[in-house]
């Protein structure tokens, strides 16, 4: 999909620069980049030692912004590869005056360059593209390479939470998380019960309005 460059992009990016921790536009070779570690110092970024949670592919940030508002004692990092989309998320975070959410403008495949092992409490994968086309498995955000990197970044006992409308992608992800050592504990379609704490994302509202089923799972990193 072609995304129109937003008006005055550079000017607007300048105004929200405090919300972007990493905007590494020059990256080309993932393997080379991963050898050259540039770990983020979260305590320095947020000015405290609160737990860190991470969303991969945050889009316009509706989910992570609501999470940050509901949990002021947790720090949130959201990753999004598209600059003109992450811009909207940062502008909303700024308008809301949030101090506990920051953004990484990069492909998720580069995350292990910036994030140390055993440092993240929760990871959210909301409506990631399923990439069903032949030859596109390497892009799928729950393939073996990504699932391994999530396992490494999570603390022991940390949790990955996935939501998707795509059953084939959901079953694929389930298998990959098991293969990479996760314990998948909560497979559910009960996101919309009264009193549920579920936060509805942009894509989720779209699928809900079409009465499409949503699949979710919780995968735990549990070392013996
Ligand atoms: C279908 S949208 C879902 C957005 C949002 N999570 C929601 O539920 O409304 C998927 C998002 O993932 C982002 N994405 C896909 N692959 C990515 C990658 N490798 N690294 C970072 N972001 C990625 C896309 O740019 C897009 O914004």
């Amino acid at each position: 999909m072609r995304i129109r460059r937003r008006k005055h992009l550079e000017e607007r990016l300048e105004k929200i620069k405090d919300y972007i921790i990493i905007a590494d536009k020059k990256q080309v070779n993932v393997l080379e980049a991963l050898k050259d570690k540039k770990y983020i110092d979260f305590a320095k970024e947020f000015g405290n030692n609160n737990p860190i949670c991470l969303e991969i592919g945050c889009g316009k940030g509706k989910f992570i912004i609501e999470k940050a508002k509901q949990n002021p004692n947790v720090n949130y990092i959201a990753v999004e590869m598209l600059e003109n989309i992450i811009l909207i998320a940062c502008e909303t975070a700024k308008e809301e005056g949030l101090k506990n959410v920051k953004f990484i403008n990069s492909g998720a495949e580069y995350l292990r360059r910036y994030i140390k092992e055993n440092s993240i409490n929760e990871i959210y994968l909301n409506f990631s593209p399923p990439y069903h086309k032949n030859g596109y498995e390497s892009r799928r955000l729950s393939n073996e390479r990504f699932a391994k990197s999530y396992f490494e970044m999570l603390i022991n006992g940390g949790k990955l939470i996935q939501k998707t409308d795509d059953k084939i992608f959901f079953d694929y992800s389930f298998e990959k998380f098991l293969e990479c050592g996760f314990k998948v504990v909560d497979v559910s379609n009960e996101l919309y019960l009264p009193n549920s704490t579920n936060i509805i994302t942009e894509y989720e509202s779209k699928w809900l309005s079409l009465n499409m089923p949503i699949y979710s799972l919780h995968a735990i990193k549990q070392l013996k």
Side-chain angles (χ1 to χ4, degrees), residues 205-219:
S205 350
K206 189 171 125 187
W207 297 122
L208 280 177
S209 69
L210 299 171
N211 272 332
M212 301 286 282
I214 307 291
Y215 307 94
S216 90
L217 65 75
H218 290 198

mmCIF file of all heavy atoms in Angstrom, residues 205-219:
data_model
loop_
_atom_site.group_PDB
_atom_site.id
_atom_site.type_symbol
_atom_site.label_atom_id
_atom_site.label_comp_id
_atom_site.label_asym_id
_atom_site.label_seq_id
_atom_site.Cartn_x
_atom_site.Cartn_y
_atom_site.Cartn_z
ATOM 1 N N SER A 205 -11.273 -2.162 15.874
ATOM 2 C CA SER A 205 -12.615 -1.549 15.707
ATOM 3 C C SER A 205 -13.147 -1.837 14.317
ATOM 4 O O SER A 205 -14.329 -2.088 14.129
ATOM 5 C CB SER A 205 -12.645 -0.027 15.889
ATOM 6 O OG SER A 205 -11.499 0.494 16.388
ATOM 7 N N LYS A 206 -12.214 -1.817 13.347
ATOM 8 C CA LYS A 206 -12.644 -2.065 11.974
ATOM 9 C C LYS A 206 -13.246 -3.475 11.847
ATOM 10 O O LYS A 206 -14.336 -3.652 11.322
ATOM 11 C CB LYS A 206 -11.401 -1.916 11.084
ATOM 12 C CG LYS A 206 -11.648 -1.930 9.626
ATOM 13 C CD LYS A 206 -10.381 -1.561 8.880
ATOM 14 C CE LYS A 206 -10.025 -2.621 7.867
ATOM 15 N NZ LYS A 206 -8.741 -2.396 7.237
ATOM 16 N N TRP A 207 -12.535 -4.474 12.388
ATOM 17 C CA TRP A 207 -13.020 -5.851 12.260
ATOM 18 C C TRP A 207 -14.284 -6.074 13.091
ATOM 19 O O TRP A 207 -15.192 -6.797 12.690
ATOM 20 C CB TRP A 207 -11.937 -6.868 12.647
ATOM 21 C CG TRP A 207 -10.745 -6.796 11.737
ATOM 22 C CD1 TRP A 207 -9.452 -6.562 12.104
ATOM 23 C CD2 TRP A 207 -10.731 -6.925 10.307
ATOM 24 N NE1 TRP A 207 -8.641 -6.524 10.996
ATOM 25 C CE2 TRP A 207 -9.394 -6.745 9.881
ATOM 26 C CE3 TRP A 207 -11.712 -7.169 9.340
ATOM 27 C CZ2 TRP A 207 -9.017 -6.802 8.546
ATOM 28 C CZ3 TRP A 207 -11.344 -7.230 8.001
ATOM 29 C CH2 TRP A 207 -10.014 -7.047 7.616
ATOM 30 N N LEU A 208 -14.328 -5.415 14.255
ATOM 31 C CA LEU A 208 -15.511 -5.576 15.111
ATOM 32 C C LEU A 208 -16.753 -5.022 14.428
ATOM 33 O O LEU A 208 -17.828 -5.615 14.511
ATOM 34 C CB LEU A 208 -15.309 -4.834 16.432
ATOM 35 C CG LEU A 208 -14.452 -5.559 17.467
ATOM 36 C CD1 LEU A 208 -14.258 -4.689 18.695
ATOM 37 C CD2 LEU A 208 -15.097 -6.887 17.851
ATOM 38 N N SER A 209 -16.570 -3.875 13.727
ATOM 39 C CA SER A 209 -17.735 -3.274 13.074
ATOM 40 C C SER A 209 -18.255 -4.190 11.953
ATOM 41 O O SER A 209 -19.396 -4.088 11.528
ATOM 42 C CB SER A 209 -17.390 -1.886 12.540
ATOM 43 O OG SER A 209 -16.493 -2.030 11.465
ATOM 44 N N LEU A 210 -17.397 -5.086 11.471
ATOM 45 C CA LEU A 210 -17.819 -6.048 10.430
ATOM 46 C C LEU A 210 -18.233 -7.385 11.048
ATOM 47 O O LEU A 210 -18.416 -8.380 10.340
ATOM 48 C CB LEU A 210 -16.668 -6.285 9.446
ATOM 49 C CG LEU A 210 -16.163 -5.070 8.666
ATOM 50 C CD1 LEU A 210 -14.894 -5.396 7.888
ATOM 51 C CD2 LEU A 210 -17.259 -4.588 7.703
ATOM 52 N N ASN A 211 -18.302 -7.408 12.406
ATOM 53 C CA ASN A 211 -18.664 -8.639 13.135
ATOM 54 C C ASN A 211 -17.706 -9.801 12.894
ATOM 55 O O ASN A 211 -18.115 -10.961 12.855
ATOM 56 C CB ASN A 211 -20.069 -9.101 12.752
ATOM 57 C CG ASN A 211 -21.088 -8.456 13.634
ATOM 58 O OD1 ASN A 211 -20.772 -8.122 14.794
ATOM 59 N ND2 ASN A 211 -22.275 -8.232 13.112
ATOM 60 N N MET A 212 -16.440 -9.495 12.664
ATOM 61 C CA MET A 212 -15.453 -10.551 12.427
ATOM 62 C C MET A 212 -14.943 -11.063 13.784
ATOM 63 O O MET A 212 -14.771 -10.275 14.713
ATOM 64 C CB MET A 212 -14.245 -9.990 11.671
ATOM 65 C CG MET A 212 -14.570 -9.376 10.337
ATOM 66 S SD MET A 212 -14.933 -10.594 9.107
ATOM 67 C CE MET A 212 -13.291 -11.129 8.693
ATOM 68 N N PRO A 213 -14.654 -12.378 13.887
ATOM 69 C CA PRO A 213 -14.101 -12.881 15.145
ATOM 70 C C PRO A 213 -12.674 -12.383 15.360
ATOM 71 O O PRO A 213 -11.928 -12.171 14.396
ATOM 72 C CB PRO A 213 -14.112 -14.398 14.967
ATOM 73 C CG PRO A 213 -14.232 -14.632 13.517
ATOM 74 C CD PRO A 213 -14.829 -13.413 12.877
ATOM 75 N N ILE A 214 -12.281 -12.185 16.615
ATOM 76 C CA ILE A 214 -10.915 -11.778 16.960
ATOM 77 C C ILE A 214 -10.317 -12.890 17.817
ATOM 78 O O ILE A 214 -10.968 -13.380 18.738
ATOM 79 C CB ILE A 214 -10.926 -10.454 17.785
ATOM 80 C CG1 ILE A 214 -11.724 -9.349 17.081
ATOM 81 C CG2 ILE A 214 -9.501 -10.008 18.112
ATOM 82 C CD1 ILE A 214 -11.137 -8.792 15.809
ATOM 83 N N TYR A 215 -9.099 -13.270 17.501
ATOM 84 C CA TYR A 215 -8.422 -14.343 18.234
ATOM 85 C C TYR A 215 -7.330 -13.735 19.100
ATOM 86 O O TYR A 215 -6.623 -12.821 18.654
ATOM 87 C CB TYR A 215 -7.806 -15.348 17.243
ATOM 88 C CG TYR A 215 -8.818 -15.849 16.248
ATOM 89 C CD1 TYR A 215 -8.966 -15.234 15.007
ATOM 90 C CD2 TYR A 215 -9.665 -16.901 16.576
ATOM 91 C CE1 TYR A 215 -9.934 -15.655 14.110
ATOM 92 C CE2 TYR A 215 -10.637 -17.334 15.670
ATOM 93 C CZ TYR A 215 -10.763 -16.710 14.443
ATOM 94 O OH TYR A 215 -11.718 -17.130 13.559
ATOM 95 N N SER A 216 -7.178 -14.268 20.317
ATOM 96 C CA SER A 216 -6.093 -13.732 21.152
ATOM 97 C C SER A 216 -5.409 -14.852 21.922
ATOM 98 O O SER A 216 -6.015 -15.898 22.201
ATOM 99 C CB SER A 216 -6.617 -12.657 22.099
ATOM 100 O OG SER A 216 -7.018 -13.234 23.304
ATOM 101 N N LEU A 217 -4.154 -14.635 22.245
ATOM 102 C CA LEU A 217 -3.427 -15.598 23.078
ATOM 103 C C LEU A 217 -2.445 -14.875 23.985
ATOM 104 O O LEU A 217 -2.046 -13.746 23.704
ATOM 105 C CB LEU A 217 -2.695 -16.644 22.219
ATOM 106 C CG LEU A 217 -1.549 -16.229 21.287
ATOM 107 C CD1 LEU A 217 -0.254 -15.935 22.019
ATOM 108 C CD2 LEU A 217 -1.281 -17.363 20.291
ATOM 109 N N HIS A 218 -2.117 -15.538 25.096
ATOM 110 C CA HIS A 218 -1.063 -15.083 25.998
ATOM 111 C C HIS A 218 0.025 -16.147 25.988
ATOM 112 O O HIS A 218 -0.266 -17.318 26.207
ATOM 113 C CB HIS A 218 -1.574 -14.954 27.443
ATOM 114 C CG HIS A 218 -2.535 -13.822 27.625
ATOM 115 N ND1 HIS A 218 -2.831 -13.302 28.855
ATOM 116 C CD2 HIS A 218 -3.248 -13.096 26.720
ATOM 117 C CE1 HIS A 218 -3.686 -12.299 28.705
ATOM 118 N NE2 HIS A 218 -3.964 -12.171 27.425
ATOM 119 N N ALA A 219 1.261 -15.742 25.695
ATOM 120 C CA ALA A 219 2.379 -16.696 25.682
ATOM 121 C C ALA A 219 3.387 -16.235 26.739
ATOM 122 O O ALA A 219 3.802 -15.077 26.738
ATOM 123 C CB ALA A 219 3.018 -16.714 24.301
#
